Amino acid sequence: MATAAWVGICASNPPAVFVSFRRDRYTCANIMEKKAFTVNIPSENYIEETDYFGIKTGRKHDKLAGVGLIPVKSDMVDAPYIKEFPCVIECRLLNYVEIGSHTAFIGEILDVKIEEAMLGNGDIPDIERLKPLLLMPCSTSYYGIGKYLGKVYSIGESI
């Protein structure tokens, strides 16, 4: 498990995300070997554990034993996920790009697991229920989610 600041959606067809790590990180070698990764989205309740994952290296520490969280074998890929985290995205490695000090890994989303309690109307993930933990790399700070501001592709219609 590793804490990543650089994570995001990068395509809708096929559905894909990217995650980027410095090349010297143990996680990079694991992703290259397994050709897969999971994106575990922690809630604010797991800020200490998430930070610990970024402090310690898997080369020297069993990170999950250190925090008492439970690893689970993924259904679709050869990469574990954390049972306690409310949302998990299982990805098959599609490609990777070396960019300066980092390697950006692009993964096709094969499965999304989300706790039912985190779903809102229409069984769509509700960000206010999920309360994802966000890492702002430029300020090296963690944040939660702010208030709802409006619907995409409709707010600008008044202009």
Side-chain angles (χ1 to χ4, degrees), residues 43-57:
S43 67
E44 295 172 3
N45 299 335
Y46 292 99
I47 189 169
E48 290 176 303
E49 293 88 345
T50 301
D51 194 53
Y52 178 83
F53 292 152
I55 293 170
K56 299 294 182 181
T57 175

Side-chain angles (χ1 to χ4, degrees), residues 2-80:
T3 300
W6 310 113
V7 180
I9 298 167
C10 62
S12 54
N13 189 15
V17 296
F18 78 91
V19 61
S20 186
F21 293 100
R22 285 198 317 245
R23 256 188 302 287
D24 63 346
R25 296 294 186 205
Y26 188 56
T27 299
C28 287
N30 286 340
I31 293 172
M32 294 296 277
E33 177 186 336
K34 301 295 184 179
K35 305 293 186 232
F37 59 92
T38 61
V39 176
N40 294 255
I41 302 173
S43 67
E44 295 172 3
N45 299 335
Y46 292 99
I47 189 169
E48 290 176 303
E49 293 88 345
T50 301
D51 194 53
Y52 178 83
F53 292 152
I55 293 170
K56 299 294 182 181
T57 175
R59 284 188 180 101
K60 298 178 183 175
H61 302 275
D62 181 347
K63 295 185 195 184
L64 289 172
V67 298
L69 298 177
I70 301 167
V72 177
K73 183 176 175 10
S74 295
D75 295 322
M76 306 293 287
V77 298
D78 188 10

Side-chain angles (χ1 to χ4, degrees), residues 89-127:
I89 304 168
E90 295 183 25
C91 302
R92 175 179 61 88
L93 183 63
L94 286 178
N95 207 341
Y96 65 93
V97 179
E98 304 288 338
I99 304 171
S101 59
H102 285 62
T103 301
F105 297 97
I106 300 167
E108 179 182 9
I109 298 171
L110 299 181
D111 193 21
V112 176
K113 294 172 178 19
I114 186 163
E115 291 177 7
E116 194 171 327
M118 301 300 138
L119 300 175
N121 293 338
D123 287 337
I124 295 173
D126 183 327
I127 200 159

